[in-house]
Amino acid sequence: MSRATRGKNPLTSRSGPSVNLVITIGLVVVAALVIGGILLFNRSDDKATAVPADTLVPAGSHMLSTADSQRVTLVEFLDFQCPACASYYSNITKKVEEDYQGRITFVPRNFPLDMHPLAVPAARAAEAAGLQGKYAEMYHAIYNGYQEWAVSGENVNSDVAAATAKFEQYATTIGLDLAKFRTDVASPQVQAVIDKGIADGRDAGVNSTPTFFLNGVKFEPSGRTLADVDRQLRAKIDEALAG
């Protein structure tokens, strides 16, 4: 008999659990509580993943589509010179905007990346057009004309003067006051909107473009092709509309 049980009534020892069993049960209970706490903590995190609305859609945000119900809001942080953003526009977002027009609120936000030298000038052109009530028209003109100003051979273009000339051409085509457009493009007001997009994007955890949020939750597709991503995004939108 070990020192731990010496002098104890054998009947008492046999009728109750051993010290080792008690310790084992205690450890199991503690482990269960810890694991349960972790799972509960993770579930709480899952419920708290939505980014606040005022971070994603601050007052004055541009909207490519507006729904009266505000039930479904899709936000895209974009870089106009980003090749992936241009591909998404051509293969996904342009059609999503058309197909869900009036059924969802679709909000584009600026998130120009340092690696794209014409991303800020393009964002300035879009924001300047917005001051004349024609953000959407310039947004589409910039993306539809992507090959004209954004690329040079197989590389991204860095010719600011040439890109600026193109943006002014688009401004004329969509009926903007060109003198005002030129003034607004260089204004602190326009740059402040772009800077806020970058700051809000970082607060929301954006580190690449395009990045989408559907009703505040980051959309993270698993598809390998643009067609796969399109199907997954539409499925999420349809689910939200039906909810």
Side-chain angles (χ1 to χ4, degrees):
M1 185 177 288
S2 68
R3 291 182 180 178
T5 58
R6 185 175 299 142
K8 292 183 178 180
N9 185 331
L11 293 175
T12 303
S13 298
R14 282 195 296 270
S15 62
S18 70
V19 173
N20 287 341
L21 180 58
V22 170
I23 292 174
T24 300
I25 292 173
L27 290 175
V28 170
V29 171
V30 170
L33 290 173
V34 171
I35 293 172
I38 291 173
L39 291 175
L40 179 60
F41 178 78
N42 285 340
R43 283 197 295 270
S44 297
D45 274 0
D46 288 343
K47 292 179 180 178
T49 53
V51 178
D54 57 356
T55 297
L56 296 177
V57 190
S61 294
H62 302 294
M63 297 182 183
L64 300 173
S65 170
T66 305
D68 292 337
S69 67
Q70 299 292 313
R71 177 184 295 178
V72 180
T73 298
L74 178 66
V75 177
E76 177 188 7
F77 284 88
L78 60 87
D79 171 324
F80 280 109
Q81 198 177 14
C82 166
C85 292
S87 292
Y88 267 64
Y89 172 80
S90 298
N91 295 279
I92 300 175
T93 55
K94 184 178 181 180
K95 284 291 293 177
V96 165
E97 178 191 345
E98 293 172 357
D99 294 345
Y100 290 92
Q101 189 63 229
R103 299 170 59 200
I104 68 171
T105 298
F106 186 7
V107 181
R109 299 293 307 279
N110 295 298
F111 200 81
L113 303 174
D114 292 340
M115 69 181 71
H116 299 139
L118 300 181
V120 170
R124 282 176 166 270
E127 292 299 332
L131 292 177
Q132 296 189 47
K134 293 196 173 183
Y135 175 90
E137 289 85 346
M138 182 60 83
Y139 163 93
H140 288 296
I142 289 172
Y143 269 136
N144 289 334
Y146 183 83
Q147 295 296 326
E148 299 174 341
W149 65 270
V151 297
S152 177
E154 296 182 356
N155 301 311
V156 294
N157 189 17
S158 59
D159 190 335
V160 176
T164 298
K166 278 295 177 184
F167 300 149
E168 291 185 357
Q169 178 184 325
Y170 302 155
T172 300
T173 300
I174 65 177
L176 298 183
D177 178 329
L178 189 56
K180 176 173 170 51
F181 174 77
R182 287 172 173 165
T183 299
D184 290 338
V185 160
S187 70
Q189 177 184 359
V190 158
Q191 186 60 48
V193 174
I194 297 169
D195 292 342
K196 181 165 179 55
I198 295 170
D200 287 346
R202 288 174 177 164
D203 287 346
V206 175
N207 55 24
S208 63
T209 56
T211 296
F212 296 88
F213 292 85
L214 185 63
N215 286 350
V217 178
K218 188 176 181 181
F219 169 65
E220 300 187 89
S222 58
R224 295 186 177 184
T225 67
L226 289 168
D228 290 337
V229 174
D230 181 52
R231 283 191 291 270
Q232 291 172 0
L233 178 58
R234 287 170 181 268
K236 289 286 187 181
I237 293 173
D238 291 342
E239 180 182 357
L241 285 170

